[in-house]
Amino acid sequence: DGSPIFADDVTERPETYNAQTPIGSEMLIPADDHGVFVASSTDTEGFSATDEELAGVLVANLSRAIDSLRREANLRERERELEQYETIVRAIPDEVYTLDSEGYFTSIVPPTGSTLTTTGYEPTELVGEHVSAVMDEADVEAGVTAIREVLAAEGDDRASFEMEVETRSGERIPNENHVALLTDGEEFRGTVGV
């Protein structure tokens, strides 16, 4: 049940131990989901209340240390995954962007080999701006409609639609926009698009 066991006399249970190792008393302290710390003494009543308390502190610190090591290992693995995804995104020949749930750019990766977006802006000039900075009202509404349809649908989290983007110089460039939902569990956080 997760409670520690302090047994002052285990001499009545010799079958549970190696016959060549006389055990008189023992303590078993669960270490969360990491296992059980076991200490034994050849003497009955071999552990004082202070010993038991110190063992409890040792096991608690050991559990925290193991948890910390696991978190660090998970973080390193997550960093490797993110580096891999970043490499994949940078290899895509088209522009990739993310929007928050209100339609504001949160990141933009220009097409491979370019430092500018397809609109002629640097990514930093558009991050924080609403998508309407490069799309007209009708195309913004088409995007909103596509996203609402995906949100209402079961299973599919992607959509695509035709649109135009307006460049810095005022030119309008037709695009096919492929978007996918960004969610935090069930909560809509925004979109990623290519």
Side-chain angles (χ1 to χ4, degrees):
D1 68 358
S3 300
I5 297 171
F6 302 105
D8 289 331
D9 186 353
V10 295
T11 57
E12 298 300 316
R13 296 183 287 156
E15 70 282 352
T16 61
Y17 297 98
N18 181 333
Q20 286 79 33
T21 308
I23 303 295
S25 59
E26 69 180 354
M27 64 173 102
L28 297 94
I29 303 172
D32 298 326
D33 63 342
H34 309 300
V36 177
F37 170 82
V38 179
S40 13
S41 172
T42 55
D43 300 325
T44 57
E45 299 183 22
F47 300 105
S48 67
T50 301
D51 294 332
E52 294 171 0
E53 185 178 324
L54 289 173
V57 170
L58 171 70
V59 171
N61 285 325
L62 177 65
S63 289
R64 281 194 293 277
I66 292 170
D67 288 341
S68 178
L69 289 172
R70 284 184 177 172
R71 279 191 303 276
E72 287 176 21
N74 290 339
L75 181 59
R76 283 191 301 275
E77 178 60 27
R78 183 71 180 131
E79 287 172 350
R80 280 191 292 274
E81 288 175 3
L82 289 174
E83 286 173 7
Q84 182 179 10
Y85 290 132
E86 184 177 328
T87 301
I88 291 168
V89 168
R90 293 199 182 284
I92 295 172
D94 297 318
E95 187 167 278
V96 179
Y97 67 90
T98 57
L99 300 176
D100 68 12
S101 61
E102 301 296 317
Y104 289 87
F105 286 104
T106 56
S107 67
I108 303 173
V109 177
T112 303
S114 178
T115 59
L116 299 177
T117 67
T118 55
T119 59
Y121 294 98
E122 289 189 25
T124 55
E125 293 179 279
L126 291 177
V127 170
E129 294 293 324
H130 192 266
V131 71
S132 60
V134 293
M135 291 172 61
D136 68 25
E137 189 175 322
D139 285 336
V140 171
E141 190 54 41
V144 169
T145 299
I147 291 165
R148 283 187 181 142
E149 288 172 0
V150 171
L151 284 168
E154 292 283 328
D156 196 10
D157 65 348
R158 288 170 272 187
S160 59
F161 59 95
E162 298 290 325
M163 56 170 265
E164 291 184 346
V165 293
E166 186 173 334
T167 67
R168 178 182 285 247
S169 64
E171 180 185 358
R172 300 192 60 75
I173 303 172
N175 280 271
E176 183 174 3
N177 195 4
H178 300 272
V179 296
L181 302 182
L182 296 173
T183 60
D184 185 5
E186 296 296 317
E187 185 179 343
F188 173 65
R189 289 183 26 239
T191 57
V192 60
V194 178

